[in-house]
Amino acid sequence: MTVLPVMRRCMENGRLALYHEGISEPFYDQHWRRHANPEILAKAEEEGLGVLEDILCKWLPKEGIILDAGCGLGQYVLALRQRGYQACGVEFSAETVDWIVQHRPDIPIGQGDITALQVADGYYAAYFSQGVLQEFYAGPDKALAEAFRVLRPGGVVILTILHFNWLRRWKYRLGMYRRRLTDWHFYAFAYTPEEFSGWMTDKGFIVEEWMGLHPYKGFKDELPLWLRLLLRRPWLGPRLEWRLRRLFNQNKKMAQKVDHLFVIVGRKPLR
């Protein structure tokens, strides 16, 4: 059985960073190998786009090609195509692409680097990427520049990013995160929506909107270990989780303080 690397949080250059234990192979080769299952694609066909349904259907154009950059197993490519979008994907892990081609050759996915896409300028009508642009140690600058290049004028970019939310910033001010980890491997940075909007604006995008996602996870992940273990107790965990999810659904201001991710939408100007 493949064992997932342990994740640790630390502060680096005033930003929350996630590091993982050293492993003997590329992170996403082992990550997607562990999760690769035809049932995931069948579920995508049945259940669709999940929490991103509303915002994707609001912003994605029906005409033109949509790229899922860093598409993993291709769930979103499949779900978008089910809805009539001309979606395709690019994934860095060659092993993952081989698995998709073997199990679902009808899903148009190729192996590639999202910082150097092999298409002409203005090729895509929209660019979607979930949890990928946070994973560049030097920042998202190069990936955003490439996204801007491959989008047609008026094209839309939709990104999900790890949120440096109020709770995480509060823990940072209290000194509750360790400093940079040695002998560990960088995984991702967390950003505030304001900081990431600045990256996008610098590359020429007009930021249209952003919204938070998964407040319960953002809250639970920052709890002390003993409280997280308590939430796993069968007699308590489900009841407490239900109450917390209900609270976050009813109180959007509170949810924004703990959202695990945020989704941000930008547009390439017409000229």
Side-chain angles (χ1 to χ4, degrees), residues 249-269:
N249 286 334
Q250 293 176 345
N251 192 324
K252 297 303 180 183
K253 288 186 177 180
M254 183 176 291
Q256 283 188 347
K257 293 181 181 295
V258 296
D259 284 320
H260 178 59
L261 305 171
F262 62 89
V263 55
I264 190 166
V265 180
R267 186 181 298 278
K268 183 175 180 176

Side-chain angles (χ1 to χ4, degrees), residues 43-161:
K43 185 177 180 180
E45 286 185 296
E46 294 175 6
E47 300 183 7
L49 301 169
V51 295
L52 294 175
E53 178 93 34
D54 291 343
I55 198 162
L56 289 178
C57 292
K58 174 182 176 180
W59 288 102
L60 291 179
K62 283 291 188 179
E63 301 295 328
I65 302 173
I66 298 167
L67 175 68
D68 183 349
C71 64
L73 297 176
Q75 307 98 300
Y76 281 89
V77 176
L78 180 58
L80 287 169
R81 292 178 71 85
Q82 288 284 102
R83 282 158 175 70
Y85 294 98
Q86 300 178 54
C88 64
V90 168
E91 168 57 41
F92 187 76
S93 169
E95 180 178 321
T96 301
V97 174
D98 289 343
W99 182 89
I100 298 167
V101 170
Q102 178 183 355
H103 289 85
R104 288 298 299 262
D106 57 312
I107 304 177
I109 289 173
Q111 194 273 335
D113 179 354
I114 68 168
T115 66
L117 295 165
Q118 303 301 305
V119 296
D121 295 357
Y123 183 79
Y124 296 112
Y127 179 109
F128 166 63
S129 188
Q130 181 164 268
V132 179
L133 273 72
Q134 64 199 20
E135 296 174 3
F136 294 98
Y137 187 77
D141 188 83
K142 190 174 180 180
L144 283 171
E146 184 68 348
F148 191 87
R149 180 188 73 81
V150 301
L151 275 174
R152 70 188 184 190
V156 173
V157 58
I158 303 175
L159 309 169
T160 66
I161 303 295

Side-chain angles (χ1 to χ4, degrees), residues 133 140-141 144 148 156-159 161 193-209 262 264-267:
L133 273 72
D141 188 83
L144 283 171
F148 191 87
V156 173
V157 58
I158 303 175
L159 309 169
I161 303 295
E194 294 77 13
E195 181 183 15
F196 206 87
S197 293
W199 285 96
M200 294 178 66
T201 301
D202 287 345
K203 288 299 147 203
F205 288 107
I206 299 168
V207 176
E208 300 281 3
E209 69 167 319
F262 62 89
I264 190 166
V265 180
R267 186 181 298 278

Side-chain angles (χ1 to χ4, degrees), residues 20-38:
H20 64 78
E21 289 180 307
I23 50 179
S24 59
E25 59 182 330
F27 178 84
Y28 276 107
D29 280 349
Q30 69 118 26
H31 174 80
W32 291 123
R33 185 185 308 124
R34 182 178 186 272
H35 289 87
N37 189 320

